[in-house]
CSV table of all heavy atoms in Angstrom, one decimal:
chain,number,residue,atom,x,y,z
A,19,ASP,N,94.3,102.5,105.9
A,19,ASP,CA,95.0,102.1,104.7
A,19,ASP,C,94.3,102.6,103.5
A,19,ASP,O,93.1,102.3,103.4
A,19,ASP,CB,95.2,100.6,104.7
A,19,ASP,CG,95.7,100.0,106.0
A,19,ASP,OD1,97.0,100.4,106.2
A,19,ASP,OD2,95.1,99.2,106.7
A,71,ILE,N,77.0,90.8,104.2
A,71,ILE,CA,76.9,89.9,103.0
A,71,ILE,C,78.3,89.5,102.5
A,71,ILE,O,79.4,90.1,102.9
A,71,ILE,CB,76.2,90.8,101.9
A,71,ILE,CG1,77.0,92.0,101.5
A,71,ILE,CG2,74.8,91.0,102.5
A,71,ILE,CD1,76.4,92.7,100.3
A,78,PHE,N,82.8,95.6,116.5
A,78,PHE,CA,82.8,96.9,117.2
A,78,PHE,C,83.5,96.9,118.5
A,78,PHE,O,83.2,96.1,119.3
A,78,PHE,CB,81.4,97.4,117.4
A,78,PHE,CG,81.2,98.7,118.2
A,78,PHE,CD1,81.6,99.9,117.6
A,78,PHE,CD2,80.9,98.7,119.5
A,78,PHE,CE1,81.5,101.1,118.3
A,78,PHE,CE2,80.8,99.9,120.3
A,78,PHE,CZ,81.1,101.1,119.7
A,96,ASP,N,85.9,90.5,95.2
A,96,ASP,CA,86.0,91.4,96.3
A,96,ASP,C,86.8,92.7,95.9
A,96,ASP,O,86.7,93.7,96.8
A,96,ASP,CB,86.6,90.7,97.6
A,96,ASP,CG,85.7,89.6,98.1
A,96,ASP,OD1,84.4,89.8,98.0
A,96,ASP,OD2,86.2,88.7,98.6
A,100,TYR,N,86.2,100.3,99.6
A,100,TYR,CA,85.4,100.1,100.9
A,100,TYR,C,85.5,101.3,101.6
A,100,TYR,O,86.5,101.9,101.9
A,100,TYR,CB,86.0,98.9,101.6
A,100,TYR,CG,85.7,97.6,100.8
A,100,TYR,CD1,86.6,97.2,99.8
A,100,TYR,CD2,84.8,96.8,101.2
A,100,TYR,CE1,86.5,96.0,99.0
A,100,TYR,CE2,84.5,95.6,100.6
A,100,TYR,CZ,85.4,95.2,99.6
A,100,TYR,OH,85.2,94.0,98.8
A,117,PHE,N,82.0,109.9,106.0
A,117,PHE,CA,82.6,108.9,105.4
A,117,PHE,C,84.0,108.9,105.6
A,117,PHE,O,84.7,109.9,105.8
A,117,PHE,CB,82.5,109.0,103.9
A,117,PHE,CG,81.0,108.8,103.4
A,117,PHE,CD1,79.9,109.6,103.5
A,117,PHE,CD2,80.6,107.5,102.8
A,117,PHE,CE1,78.7,109.3,103.1
A,117,PHE,CE2,79.4,107.2,102.4
A,117,PHE,CZ,78.3,108.1,102.5
Side-chain angles (χ1 to χ4, degrees):
Chain A
D19 306 297
I71 62 172
F78 174 72
D96 294 328
Y100 291 79
F117 287 79

